[in-house]
């Protein structure tokens, strides 16, 4: 299963899809104008001790909603 | 055809003989005539050739009683007076009626005072009707009325049933989702429009859901429930609860709420904050369960 990550003013948001829809369907849940990327679940840290300190730097591989 | 006043006038021998012969002729022909005798006597017969009836004068000599039909000999009943022209069989209480038997004869039949139906119904009736309150206690055999005898729109089959509106309707296929498709717009407001159970710890993941496409992990204790199909408006009711496994401190049980400045409820999503029950900060529960009711 994949995740969608996008950059927010406070850090990083991670979209976890339902198994009833595709990851592509969940792109609708990305805020308009936000840069996002579909990643493997394993690429998202499971240690949430410093969850609010997560940061990402979008590059050319990211898409814009 | 002869009528006579049955009075022999004073006259010579030849006329007396003729008068007697006329009287005898009237007697043997029962006073047969197209019109009634000019002189009438009580109990006198009259063969009315116009009406084809044998009539008899009543005791008061005031009217004629129809006796029988001259051409057939059948009892005359038209205009008959009960107990006079038709002789009853003597029962009291009105227990018999005269039935025309369909073969030129008639017969006395017993009146059924309480026509209780018993035994098997048989025969045919194109416009039969069971009137209101006609049946007090009745039992219909399992195969008394076949489907072929029922009149309804649609097609009767092993996959249809007879609805209250007299229509054959299809039985929903096994496993078909009938929970919402068969509800009216009002009925849909009475059922949950969306729900989700997800793990807020580790890698946030949805366990199960309905009409929820995804959960957005915005940070510790901060989540967004995204709807698969948008709500009609954001006046819906959102409820939720949480559970935390392996934590026995009751005051650490998180609560679902929202305490930020932005509007939490949108037609496409709903934001929630999960805070510790003791007034502490945001918390990631192992179980977050949210439900939405509304339009």
């Amino acid at each position: 299963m994949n995740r969608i990550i996008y950059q927010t003013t406070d850090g990083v948001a991670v979209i976890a899809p339902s198994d009833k829809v595709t990851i592509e369907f969940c792109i609708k849940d990305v805020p308009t104008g936000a840069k996002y990327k579909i990643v493997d679940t394993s690429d998202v840290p499971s240690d949430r001790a410093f969850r609010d300190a997560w940061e990402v730097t979008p590059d050319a591989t990211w898409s814009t909603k | 055809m002869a009528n006579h006043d049955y009075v022999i006038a004073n006259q010579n021998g030849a006329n007396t003989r003729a008068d007697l012969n006329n009287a005898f002729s009237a007697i043997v022909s029962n006073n047969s005539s197209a019109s009634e005798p000019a002189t009438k006597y009580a109990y006198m017969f009259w063969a009315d050739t116009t009406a084809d009836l044998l009539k008899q004068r009543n005791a008061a000599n005031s009217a004629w009683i129809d006796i029988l039909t001259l051409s057939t000999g059948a009892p005359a009943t038209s205009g008959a007076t009960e107990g006079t022209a038709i002789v009853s069989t003597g029962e009291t209480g009105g227990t018999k009626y005269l039935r025309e038997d369909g073969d030129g004869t008639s017969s006395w039949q017993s009146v059924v005072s309480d026509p209780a139906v018993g035994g098997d119904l048989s025969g045919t009736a194109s416009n039969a009707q069971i009137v209101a309150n006609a049946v007090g206690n009745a039992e219909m055999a399992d195969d008394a009325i076949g489907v072929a005898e029922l009149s309804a729109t649609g097609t009767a089959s092993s996959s249809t049933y007879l609805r209250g509106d007299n229509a054959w309707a299809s039985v929903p296929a096994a496993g078909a989702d009938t929970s919402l498709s068969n509800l009216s717009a009002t009925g849909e407001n009475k059922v949950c429009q969306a729900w989700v159970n997800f793990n807020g710890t580790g890698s946030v993941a949805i366990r199960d859901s309905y009409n929820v496409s995804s959960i957005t992990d915005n940070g510790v204790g901060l989540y967004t429930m995204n709807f698969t199909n948008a709500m009609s408006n954001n006046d819906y009711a959102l409820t939720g609860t949480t559970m935390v496994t392996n934590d026995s401190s009751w005051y650490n049980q998180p609560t679902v709420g929202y305490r930020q400045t932005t509007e939490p409820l949108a037609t496409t999503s709903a934001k929630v904050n999960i805070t510790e029950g003791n007034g502490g900060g945001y918390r990631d529960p192992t179980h977050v369960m949210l439900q939405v009711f509304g339009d």
Side-chain angles (χ1 to χ4, degrees):
Chain A
M1 184 63 77
N2 295 324
R3 297 287 187 268
I4 299 175
I5 60 174
Y6 62 89
Q7 190 177 35
T8 68
T9 55
D10 298 324
V12 182
V14 182
I15 294 176
S18 163
D19 61 2
K20 297 177 175 62
V21 298
T22 63
I23 191 69
E24 289 77 14
F25 179 83
C26 295
I27 293 175
K28 72 176 183 58
D29 300 331
V30 177
T32 300
K35 290 183 176 298
Y36 70 94
K37 186 176 184 178
I38 297 175
V39 300
D40 289 338
T41 301
S42 59
D43 292 336
V44 178
S46 59
D47 183 354
R48 298 174 64 83
F50 299 98
R51 169 65 181 85
D52 293 338
W54 291 359
E55 293 180 351
V56 292
T57 303
D59 58 25
T61 64
W62 288 51
S63 302
T64 302
K65 170 72 179 294
Chain B
M1 305 228 292
N3 277 174
H4 197 279
D5 60 5
Y6 299 102
V7 175
I8 306 302
N10 291 322
Q11 52 198 326
N12 60 30
N15 288 342
T16 299
R17 177 176 176 272
D19 203 7
L20 287 171
N21 286 335
N22 288 336
F24 293 148
S25 177
I27 291 172
V28 298
S29 68
N30 285 323
N31 304 297
S32 65
S33 174
S35 57
E36 67 175 7
T39 303
K40 298 176 276 291
Y41 300 92
Y43 312 119
M44 174 185 189
F45 285 108
W46 168 36
D48 182 352
T49 58
T50 299
D52 193 27
L53 291 173
L54 176 62
K55 300 178 179 178
Q56 186 174 26
R57 202 65 179 168
N58 64 7
N61 192 25
S62 59
W64 293 102
I65 301 168
D66 295 341
I67 304 300
L68 53 78
T69 301
L70 291 171
S71 58
T72 64
T77 57
S78 176
T81 301
E82 181 181 352
T84 55
I86 300 175
V87 179
S88 74
T89 52
E91 288 82 1
T92 59
T95 59
K96 293 290 183 68
Y97 67 96
L98 186 62
R99 187 186 71 183
E100 203 289 307
D101 293 336
D103 58 357
T105 64
S106 58
S107 60
W108 291 104
Q109 301 292 323
S110 297
V111 173
V112 180
S113 58
D114 184 8
V117 176
D120 297 333
L121 292 177
S122 60
T124 59
S126 59
N127 292 296
Q129 180 183 20
I130 299 175
V131 300
N133 303 318
V135 180
N137 293 290
E139 180 178 339
M140 187 172 290
D142 292 343
D143 57 351
I145 298 178
V147 170
E149 281 71 42
L150 297 177
S151 175
T153 58
T155 303
S157 73
S158 60
S159 61
T160 59
Y161 65 94
L162 184 59
R163 286 193 322 208
D165 60 356
N166 203 37
W168 294 108
S170 297
V171 177
D177 180 8
T178 59
S179 58
L180 292 179
S181 61
N182 288 336
L183 290 176
S184 64
T186 303
E188 289 185 6
N189 292 342
K190 299 177 181 177
V191 299
C192 186
Q193 297 288 343
W195 60 265
V196 64
N197 177 334
F198 67 91
N199 184 353
T201 63
S203 180
V204 174
I206 295 175
R207 294 187 179 90
D208 201 356
S209 64
Y210 169 71
N211 197 31
V212 173
S213 59
S214 66
I215 291 293
T216 302
D217 165 21
N218 298 301
V220 175
L222 307 177
Y223 306 101
T224 301
M225 176 170 56
N226 301 301
F227 302 130
T228 302
N229 297 300
M231 302 293 289
S232 298
N233 57 60
N234 66 341
D235 292 332
Y236 52 82
L238 170 67
T239 61
T241 188
T242 67
M243 293 188 294
V244 176
T245 58
N246 299 319
D247 189 337
S248 60
S249 301
W250 65 269
Y251 50 83
N252 281 338
Q253 298 305 304
T255 57
V256 176
Y258 190 78
R259 63 177 190 179
Q260 299 190 31
T261 57
T262 56
E263 169 62 44
L265 304 182
T267 57
T268 57
S269 64
K271 295 177 180 178
V272 294
N273 297 162
I274 311 299
T275 55
E276 292 182 345
N278 63 353
Y282 293 125
R283 176 82 184 257
D284 288 329
T286 57
H287 295 72
V288 181
M289 293 156 285
L290 306 174
Q291 308 87 38
V292 171
F293 292 84
D295 298 323

Coordinates of all heavy atoms in Angstrom, one line a residue, chain A residues 9-49:
Chain A
T9 N 2.2 24.0 5.8 CA 2.9 25.1 6.5 C 3.5 24.6 7.8 O 4.4 25.2 8.3 CB 2.0 26.3 6.7 OG1 0.8 25.8 7.5 CG2 1.5 26.9 5.4
D10 N 2.9 23.6 8.4 CA 3.4 23.1 9.7 C 4.3 21.9 9.5 O 4.8 21.4 10.5 CB 2.2 22.6 10.5 CG 1.3 23.8 10.8 OD1 1.8 24.9 11.0 OD2 0.1 23.6 10.9
G11 N 4.5 21.4 8.3 CA 5.4 20.2 8.1 C 4.9 19.3 7.0 O 4.9 19.8 5.9
V12 N 4.5 18.1 7.4 CA 4.2 17.1 6.3 C 2.9 16.4 6.7 O 2.7 16.1 7.9 CB 5.3 16.0 6.2 CG1 4.9 15.0 5.1 CG2 6.6 16.6 6.0
A13 N 2.0 16.3 5.7 CA 0.8 15.5 5.9 C 0.9 14.2 5.1 O 1.5 14.2 4.0 CB -0.4 16.3 5.4
V14 N 0.4 13.2 5.7 CA 0.4 11.9 5.1 C -1.0 11.3 4.9 O -1.7 11.2 5.9 CB 1.3 10.9 5.9 CG1 1.3 9.5 5.2 CG2 2.7 11.4 6.2
I15 N -1.3 11.0 3.7 CA -2.7 10.5 3.4 C -2.6 8.9 3.3 O -1.8 8.4 2.5 CB -3.2 11.0 2.0 CG1 -3.4 12.5 2.2 CG2 -4.5 10.3 1.7 CD1 -3.9 13.2 0.9
A16 N -3.3 8.3 4.2 CA -3.4 6.8 4.3 C -4.7 6.4 3.6 O -5.8 6.7 4.1 CB -3.4 6.3 5.7
P17 N -4.7 5.8 2.5 CA -5.9 5.4 1.8 C -6.7 4.2 2.4 O -6.1 3.4 3.1 CB -5.5 5.1 0.4 CG -4.1 4.5 0.6 CD -3.5 5.3 1.8
S18 N -8.0 4.2 2.1 CA -8.8 3.0 2.4 C -8.5 1.9 1.4 O -8.1 2.2 0.3 CB -10.3 3.4 2.4 OG -11.1 2.2 2.3
D19 N -8.6 0.7 1.8 CA -8.4 -0.4 0.9 C -9.5 -0.6 -0.1 O -9.5 -1.4 -1.0 CB -8.1 -1.7 1.6 CG -9.3 -2.1 2.5 OD1 -10.4 -1.4 2.4 OD2 -9.2 -3.2 3.2
K20 N -10.5 0.3 0.0 CA -11.6 0.3 -0.9 C -11.4 1.2 -2.2 O -12.3 1.2 -3.1 CB -12.9 0.6 -0.2 CG -13.3 -0.3 0.9 CD -14.5 0.1 1.7 CE -14.9 -1.0 2.7 NZ -13.9 -1.2 3.7
V21 N -10.4 2.0 -2.1 CA -10.1 2.9 -3.3 C -8.6 2.8 -3.6 O -7.8 2.2 -2.9 CB -10.5 4.3 -2.9 CG1 -11.9 4.5 -2.6 CG2 -9.6 4.8 -1.7
T22 N -8.3 3.3 -4.8 CA -6.9 3.3 -5.2 C -6.2 4.5 -4.7 O -6.8 5.5 -4.3 CB -6.8 3.3 -6.7 OG1 -7.4 4.6 -7.2 CG2 -7.6 2.2 -7.4
I23 N -4.9 4.5 -4.7 CA -4.1 5.6 -4.2 C -4.3 6.8 -5.1 O -4.3 8.0 -4.6 CB -2.6 5.3 -4.1 CG1 -1.8 6.3 -3.3 CG2 -2.0 5.0 -5.4 CD1 -2.2 6.4 -1.8
E24 N -4.5 6.5 -6.4 CA -4.7 7.7 -7.3 C -6.0 8.4 -7.0 O -6.1 9.6 -7.2 CB -4.7 7.1 -8.8 CG -3.4 6.7 -9.3 CD -2.9 5.4 -8.7 OE1 -3.8 4.6 -8.2 OE2 -1.7 5.0 -8.9
F25 N -7.0 7.6 -6.6 CA -8.3 8.2 -6.3 C -8.2 9.2 -5.1 O -8.9 10.2 -5.1 CB -9.3 7.1 -5.8 CG -10.7 7.6 -5.5 CD1 -11.7 7.9 -6.4 CD2 -11.0 7.8 -4.1 CE1 -12.9 8.4 -6.1 CE2 -12.3 8.3 -3.8 CZ -13.2 8.6 -4.8
C26 N -7.2 8.9 -4.2 CA -7.1 9.8 -3.0 C -6.3 11.1 -3.3 O -6.2 11.9 -2.4 CB -6.3 9.0 -1.9 SG -7.3 7.6 -1.3
I27 N -5.9 11.2 -4.5 CA -5.2 12.5 -4.9 C -6.2 13.7 -4.7 O -5.9 14.8 -4.4 CB -4.7 12.5 -6.3 CG1 -3.5 11.5 -6.4 CG2 -4.2 13.9 -6.8 CD1 -3.0 11.2 -7.8
K28 N -7.5 13.3 -4.8 CA -8.6 14.4 -4.6 C -8.5 14.9 -3.2 O -9.0 16.0 -2.9 CB -10.0 13.8 -4.8 CG -10.4 12.8 -3.7 CD -11.8 12.3 -3.9 CE -12.2 11.4 -2.7 NZ -12.2 12.0 -1.4
D29 N -7.9 14.2 -2.2 CA -7.8 14.6 -0.8 C -6.6 15.5 -0.6 O -6.4 16.0 0.6 CB -7.8 13.3 0.1 CG -9.0 12.4 -0.1 OD1 -10.1 13.0 -0.4 OD2 -8.9 11.2 0.1
V30 N -5.8 15.7 -1.6 CA -4.7 16.7 -1.5 C -5.2 18.1 -1.7 O -6.0 18.3 -2.6 CB -3.6 16.4 -2.5 CG1 -2.5 17.4 -2.4 CG2 -3.1 14.9 -2.3
P31 N -4.9 19.0 -0.8 CA -5.4 20.4 -1.0 C -5.0 21.0 -2.4 O -3.8 20.7 -2.9 CB -4.7 21.2 0.1 CG -4.4 20.1 1.1 CD -4.1 18.9 0.4
T32 N -5.8 21.7 -3.0 CA -5.5 22.3 -4.3 C -4.3 23.2 -4.2 O -4.2 24.0 -3.3 CB -6.7 23.1 -4.8 OG1 -7.9 22.3 -4.9 CG2 -6.5 23.8 -6.1
G33 N -3.4 23.1 -5.1 CA -2.2 23.9 -5.1 C -1.0 23.2 -4.4 O 0.1 23.7 -4.5
A34 N -1.3 22.2 -3.6 CA -0.2 21.6 -2.8 C 0.7 20.7 -3.7 O 0.2 20.1 -4.7 CB -0.8 20.8 -1.7
K35 N 1.9 20.6 -3.4 CA 2.8 19.7 -4.1 C 2.7 18.3 -3.3 O 2.8 18.3 -2.1 CB 4.3 20.2 -4.1 CG 4.5 21.4 -5.0 CD 6.0 21.8 -5.0 CE 6.2 23.0 -5.9 NZ 5.9 22.6 -7.3
Y36 N 2.6 17.3 -4.1 CA 2.4 16.0 -3.4 C 3.2 14.9 -4.2 O 3.7 15.1 -5.3 CB 1.0 15.6 -3.4 CG 0.4 15.3 -4.8 CD1 0.3 14.0 -5.2 CD2 -0.1 16.3 -5.6 CE1 -0.2 13.7 -6.5 CE2 -0.6 16.0 -6.9 CZ -0.6 14.7 -7.3 OH -1.1 14.4 -8.6
K37 N 3.4 13.7 -3.5 CA 4.1 12.6 -4.1 C 3.5 11.3 -3.5 O 3.3 11.2 -2.3 CB 5.6 12.7 -3.9 CG 6.4 11.6 -4.6 CD 7.9 11.8 -4.4 CE 8.7 10.8 -5.2 NZ 10.1 11.0 -5.0
I38 N 3.4 10.4 -4.4 CA 3.0 9.0 -4.0 C 4.2 8.2 -3.6 O 5.1 8.1 -4.4 CB 2.2 8.3 -5.1 CG1 0.9 9.1 -5.4 CG2 1.8 6.9 -4.6 CD1 0.1 8.5 -6.5
V39 N 4.3 7.7 -2.4 CA 5.5 7.0 -1.9 C 5.0 5.7 -1.3 O 3.9 5.4 -1.1 CB 6.2 7.8 -0.8 CG1 6.7 9.2 -1.4 CG2 5.3 8.0 0.4
D40 N 6.0 4.8 -1.2 CA 5.8 3.5 -0.5 C 5.5 3.8 1.0 O 6.1 4.7 1.6 CB 6.9 2.6 -0.6 CG 7.0 2.0 -2.0 OD1 6.0 2.0 -2.8 OD2 8.1 1.6 -2.4
T41 N 4.7 3.0 1.6 CA 4.4 3.1 3.0 C 5.7 3.0 3.8 O 5.9 3.7 4.8 CB 3.4 2.0 3.5 OG1 2.2 2.2 2.7 CG2 3.1 2.2 5.0
S42 N 6.6 2.2 3.4 CA 7.8 2.0 4.1 C 8.7 3.2 4.1 O 9.6 3.3 4.9 CB 8.6 0.8 3.5 OG 8.9 1.0 2.1
D43 N 8.4 4.1 3.2 CA 9.2 5.4 3.1 C 8.8 6.4 4.2 O 9.4 7.4 4.4 CB 9.1 6.0 1.7 CG 9.8 5.1 0.7 OD1 10.7 4.4 1.1 OD2 9.4 5.3 -0.5
V44 N 7.6 6.1 4.8 CA 7.1 7.0 5.8 C 7.5 6.5 7.2 O 7.3 5.3 7.5 CB 5.6 7.1 5.7 CG1 5.1 8.1 6.8 CG2 5.2 7.6 4.4
P45 N 8.2 7.3 8.0 CA 8.6 6.8 9.3 C 7.4 6.3 10.1 O 6.4 6.9 10.1 CB 9.3 8.0 9.9 CG 9.6 8.9 8.8 CD 8.6 8.7 7.8
S46 N 7.7 5.2 10.8 CA 6.6 4.7 11.7 C 6.8 5.1 13.1 O 6.0 5.0 14.0 CB 6.6 3.1 11.7 OG 7.8 2.6 12.0
D47 N 8.0 5.7 13.4 CA 8.3 6.3 14.7 C 7.7 7.7 14.7 O 8.2 8.6 14.0 CB 9.8 6.3 15.0 CG 10.1 6.8 16.4 OD1 9.2 7.2 17.1 OD2 11.3 6.7 16.7
R48 N 6.7 7.9 15.6 CA 6.1 9.2 15.6 C 6.5 10.0 16.8 O 5.9 11.0 17.1 CB 4.6 9.0 15.7 CG 4.0 8.2 14.4 CD 2.5 7.9 14.6 NE 1.7 9.1 14.7 CZ 1.3 9.8 13.6 NH1 1.6 9.4 12.4 NH2 0.5 10.9 13.7
A49 N 7.6 9.7 17.4 CA 8.1 10.4 18.5 C 8.3 11.9 18.2 O 8.1 12.8 19.0 CB 9.4 9.8 19.1

